[in-house]
Amino acid sequence: MVRIDDSGNVPKCWLNREELSTLEAAAGDGWGWEREVAIQLMGRCGLRASEVSYPGPAELRWSDDGECWLFEVRGKNTKGGDKKTRDAWMPESVQENIHRYARERGIEAGTPWVDAGTSTIRRWVKDAAERVGGERWEHVSSHDLRRSFATYHLVERQVDVRTMMAIGGWNDYTAIEPYLNEPTERRIGEALGTATAPTIE
């Protein structure tokens, strides 16, 4: 079940890896591969909705030094001013899916993978969440995909903050701090050690 915090003016949602896969499938099966790719770029790579229409085959590269897939993104500067260019990280599973997608659709270098505006991409997320169904899913937004990406890597995988700032496009600690969500009980146990469950007599 989608985890939700509705204590503020705008509900915040967190999707786990399985829920994200469910949303991707709903987008792909319902309306096409392009929507699935858009959701993967937000939920698996941490892009903002406004950044999804920028990268394409020309921006993706293999880093021999890092042994990982990186791709150029031009997006929001959280300090204000002109847009900032960064290298975002892409999981191998997403790279494989996007490679097949680009090859089958004939997407060439210089052409973005996703040809849609920000408001359209946000609507795609809402459409897919509605298709999944359920009261909690109706609150899921495009920004929740980025939130889920950040929280998963920061809290569950314990990726260091400086690395996340670099690949996610956060310019300072105040911009990324809201994503440092409280750890789950499982994460606490893994970090601090586990104990034997007490015996109830």
Side-chain angles (χ1 to χ4, degrees), residues 60-63 67-71 88-92 95:
L60 181 64
R61 65 182 176 85
W62 171 256
S63 169
E67 296 187 341
C68 62
W69 289 100
L70 299 172
F71 63 106
W89 168 79
M90 182 179 287
E92 190 169 1
Q95 183 274 329

Side-chain angles (χ1 to χ4, degrees), residues 77-189:
N77 185 340
T78 56
K79 289 185 176 179
D82 294 337
K83 289 186 175 184
K84 184 177 179 181
T85 300
R86 71 179 189 277
D87 278 334
W89 168 79
M90 182 179 287
E92 190 169 1
S93 60
V94 176
Q95 183 274 329
E96 291 172 352
N97 186 46
I98 286 181
H99 179 72
R100 289 195 303 271
Y101 165 74
R103 186 180 64 243
E104 291 190 17
R105 297 295 174 90
I107 298 174
E108 300 176 353
T111 304
W113 292 310
V114 178
D115 183 18
T118 302
S119 60
T120 297
I121 290 166
R122 288 177 176 149
R123 191 186 74 246
W124 288 354
V125 175
K126 287 293 188 184
D127 288 345
E130 185 177 311
R131 170 161 283 201
V132 174
E135 184 178 346
R136 288 177 177 250
W137 281 94
E138 69 186 30
H139 297 291
V140 172
S141 70
S142 60
H143 191 71
D144 293 323
L145 303 185
R146 179 171 164 83
R147 176 180 292 110
S148 300
F149 165 83
T151 301
Y152 171 70
H153 289 285
L154 285 165
V155 178
E156 294 300 314
R157 295 193 64 203
Q158 295 289 286
V159 176
D160 69 272
V161 174
R162 295 290 290 181
T163 297
M164 290 301 296
M165 288 172 63
I167 65 172
W170 292 282
N171 294 92
D172 53 47
Y173 288 105
T174 58
I176 200 171
E177 193 276 334
Y179 300 95
L180 291 167
N181 196 37
E182 293 184 8
T184 61
E185 292 180 5
R186 181 177 65 80
R187 183 66 232 159
I188 292 170

